[in-house]
Amino acid sequence: GGGAPPPPLASRGPLSPSLALNPPRPPRALLAIPASFLVRQAQASLETMVLGLVAGALAGAQAIFYYNRKSFLFDRKLRQEQEFKILEFRSEQAEQWRDDVRELLGMTEKKMESYAIVALLMLDACVGMFAEGRLQPGAPPWLLHFYMLTLGGAFMYLAMSAWFAMSASVIANCSSVRLLTHFVRMPIPSWEQLEDTRTYASAFEDVRPAHALRLPFTGSAGRVARVATAAPRAAA
């Protein structure tokens, strides 16, 4: 334990000729691995890395594709709801027009009915005066002539007034029916219009690959929907 320390390397003297000519070799386990095996391992690692990159790129492309397809179908759904809402607004507008026609011509019918009632009441009074409204005995003939002439004229005018009032009421009713059935019809969409509002999922196949694989937040998504919408109509 208390011996002297070993002398430095310089004081140990030169190496033996056997050590100088034969330096230490690595373990035999490392020397046993052939170079071809190492090359194959490197190639396998490179292939695995390339396959991983390709798989990642394909997965990313698939995710982008489904994102754009879902966005396209969502936009088309919103467009369909918008067109249905426009049809609903048009129906409400047409219903307001029909109500205006009914109110305007209905007012004419009511006025003519009022005129006809008044004319018929006065006509009834004229008939009563014809039957019971005689002059006093001994009245001059010229007064009797004027009396009968006045009653006859009133009777004719009141009869024509009642007749015209009833005719105007019938004409107003017929005009209302004609306007409602020929000019102010409800805007019922046709089958072609309903078909135009429909979007097939296969319409996304008409989109260009650059748009189908568009990265999010780049480019114009609305232009993609318009291009896909215009393609089937142009083909038709």
Side-chain angles (χ1 to χ4, degrees):
L9 294 177
S11 62
R12 294 181 184 179
L15 296 174
S16 62
S18 61
L19 292 176
L21 295 176
N22 299 318
R25 296 181 179 181
R28 293 183 178 181
L30 295 178
L31 294 176
I33 300 176
S36 60
F37 176 77
L38 297 177
V39 172
R40 287 196 299 270
Q41 288 293 330
Q43 291 179 351
S45 300
L46 182 61
E47 291 177 358
T48 303
M49 183 177 63
V50 171
L51 289 177
L53 292 176
V54 172
L58 291 177
Q62 182 182 9
I64 293 174
F65 176 81
Y66 282 113
Y67 167 79
N68 290 325
R69 184 175 182 273
K70 185 177 180 180
S71 177
F72 170 78
L73 295 178
F74 179 74
D75 292 340
R76 292 298 301 169
K77 181 181 179 182
L78 292 180
R79 182 177 179 273
Q80 187 180 38
E81 293 178 357
Q82 179 185 5
E83 292 184 356
F84 285 160
K85 200 65 178 179
I86 291 174
L87 291 176
E88 183 179 352
F89 288 155
R90 289 178 179 175
S91 299
E92 293 179 357
Q93 186 181 30
E95 187 62 31
Q96 291 178 358
W97 290 343
R98 293 171 68 86
D99 291 339
D100 293 340
V101 171
R102 293 190 187 98
E103 290 177 0
L104 291 174
L105 297 179
M107 181 176 60
T108 302
E109 293 181 20
K110 292 180 180 179
K111 290 175 65 176
M112 293 301 105
E113 290 177 0
S114 301
Y115 293 159
I117 291 173
V118 173
L120 290 175
L121 290 176
M122 297 179 68
L123 189 62
D124 181 66
C126 287
V127 172
M129 293 183 69
F130 266 122
E132 299 179 359
R134 298 179 181 180
L135 296 177
Q136 294 292 333
W142 60 269
L143 183 59
L144 181 60
H145 292 165
F146 276 114
Y147 177 72
M148 297 301 295
L149 182 62
T150 303
L151 285 179
F155 181 84
M156 291 298 299
Y157 279 116
L158 291 173
M160 291 177 63
S161 177
W163 179 37
F164 289 157
M166 289 186 290
S167 298
S169 179
V170 172
I171 291 173
N173 191 7
C174 295
S175 299
S176 175
V177 173
R178 185 170 181 271
L179 288 174
L180 294 177
T181 55
H182 290 79
F183 299 99
V184 195
R185 300 285 293 179
M186 293 295 293
I188 305 299
S190 62
W191 174 256
E192 289 77 11
Q193 292 176 342
L194 293 177
E195 189 67 19
D196 290 338
T197 61
R198 180 181 179 183
T199 299
Y200 295 92
S202 59
F204 187 72
E205 299 174 0
D206 299 327
V207 178
R208 293 190 303 174
H211 292 161
L213 299 177
R214 182 186 62 86
L215 294 176
F217 306 104
T218 59
S220 176
R223 184 176 58 186
V224 177
R226 289 193 295 270
V227 169
T229 303
R233 295 184 178 179

